Amino acid sequence: MGALSGSISFRRYRVMGTPPRDFRDTFTNGVRAHALIPLNPKKNPHEEKSIGWCSLHDQDDLELDFTKFWFDGRILLSLRVDVIKPSAGEVKRALAQRVREEEEKRKTKIPKTALRELKDIIVAELRLRTPPKIKTTDMVWNVDQQKLYFFSQSKGPNETFLELFVQSFGMAIDTEGPGSWAQEMAEEQKMEGLLKKAMPTAALLGGFEGLRPGTRPVDELDQVAGR
């Protein structure tokens, strides 16, 4: 899912606060520390997933210096997730064959404990010849405007992105929506005090009359409505 190609579907965020003065070095160190490390089943046979940054322009470019992700006041990166997981059907077939072979040798059924261990061995073996599934999702962050766009609406990728962003940049981030837009307008028009005093309408709290039952006591709705 990308800023340069594919369907245009993204979630807006607002980065809270301003970057440090030495953000070039700070951000470079943070990005490099959390760049994706490719999976290596030979060294780590039980590691199924790897998460980290890659270049927005090339998913295989993991050597990220400042000039690669900084452009015209924006930080451009991709969240990359690699997964190596053999299919359930392939594991089942391989396990069944291995069980038959072992039981022929033993002349008895394999105990459940040994069966679980055998399955783990088979999964590790299959992972050695299973290519990783790679998924990337682009991020565009306008640093001066504190606006960030992550090109996915899905819950899982967004949760993963939020955690990685905070770890990499050390800055808080919040979803941009009606609340943040109202806050921004209030700040521009110097109406922060009025916004803090704003109260939801009776219809918002209890629903419109005749459409659904109210969720709040009638006297509370009257109080909110000023009756």
Side-chain angles (χ1 to χ4, degrees):
M1 298 181 186
L4 305 180
S5 62
S7 60
I8 301 177
S9 177
F10 56 83
R11 185 169 293 183
R12 297 180 176 90
Y13 290 97
R14 185 177 183 182
V15 181
M16 315 304 290
T18 56
R21 291 184 178 180
D22 61 340
F23 73 88
R24 177 182 180 126
D25 293 335
T26 302
F27 286 177
T28 300
N29 292 336
V31 170
R32 284 179 172 175
H34 294 90
L36 181 127
I37 300 175
L39 294 169
N40 189 337
K42 291 183 178 179
K43 291 184 177 180
N44 300 297
H46 301 295
E47 188 178 14
E48 292 186 350
K49 181 185 289 188
S50 181
I51 298 169
W53 301 114
C54 68
S55 169
L56 183 143
H57 303 285
D58 181 1
Q59 68 177 21
D60 295 320
D61 187 355
L62 307 176
E63 299 295 328
L64 301 171
D65 57 45
F66 190 77
T67 58
K68 289 184 178 180
F69 61 79
W70 177 263
F71 177 75
D72 194 25
R74 294 169 174 80
I75 289 179
L76 312 176
L77 285 167
S78 286
L79 167 70
R80 175 173 158 178
V81 179
D82 288 12
V83 178
I84 297 181
K85 188 174 182 180
S87 68
E90 189 175 11
V91 173
K92 185 177 180 180
R93 287 191 296 271
L95 179 61
Q97 181 178 349
R98 192 72 61 86
V99 167
R100 286 195 298 270
E101 294 172 354
E102 289 294 322
E103 289 181 344
E104 286 178 4
K105 293 179 182 178
R106 299 184 182 202
K107 304 301 181 181
T108 183
K109 287 192 174 183
I110 297 178
K112 290 185 178 180
T113 303
L115 188 61
R116 287 193 294 267
E117 293 175 353
L118 185 58
K119 182 178 180 181
D120 291 340
I121 293 172
I122 289 173
V123 170
E125 291 175 352
L126 290 175
R127 291 185 72 249
L128 291 173
R129 56 177 186 266
T130 301
K133 292 182 179 179
I134 299 175
K135 185 175 182 179
T136 61
T137 311
D138 294 345
M139 176 199 81
V140 176
W141 173 16
N142 188 316
V143 175
D144 291 336
Q145 295 182 12
Q146 299 175 271
K147 294 182 180 296
L148 185 150
Y149 304 91
F150 183 67
F151 286 75
S152 173
Q153 289 281 0
S154 300
K155 180 181 179 181
N158 274 272
E159 290 178 345
T160 301
F161 162 71
L162 289 173
E163 183 176 355
L164 183 64
F165 182 90
V166 174
Q167 292 174 349
S168 303
F169 298 101
M171 300 183 69
I173 187 171
D174 195 13
T175 305
E176 186 177 88
S180 60
W181 297 334
Q183 180 67 38
E184 187 176 336
M185 292 177 62
E187 291 173 356
E188 292 176 354
Q189 300 179 25
K190 298 181 179 181
M191 298 171 59
E192 296 95 326
L194 293 176
L195 183 62
K196 290 180 180 179
K197 295 178 181 179
M199 294 288 290
T201 64
L204 182 61
L205 284 172
F208 292 94
E209 186 176 355
L211 292 182
R212 67 180 177 87
T215 56
R216 298 293 183 93
V218 175
D219 57 345
E220 185 178 350
L221 297 179
D222 289 340
Q223 183 180 2
V224 171
R227 294 196 291 264

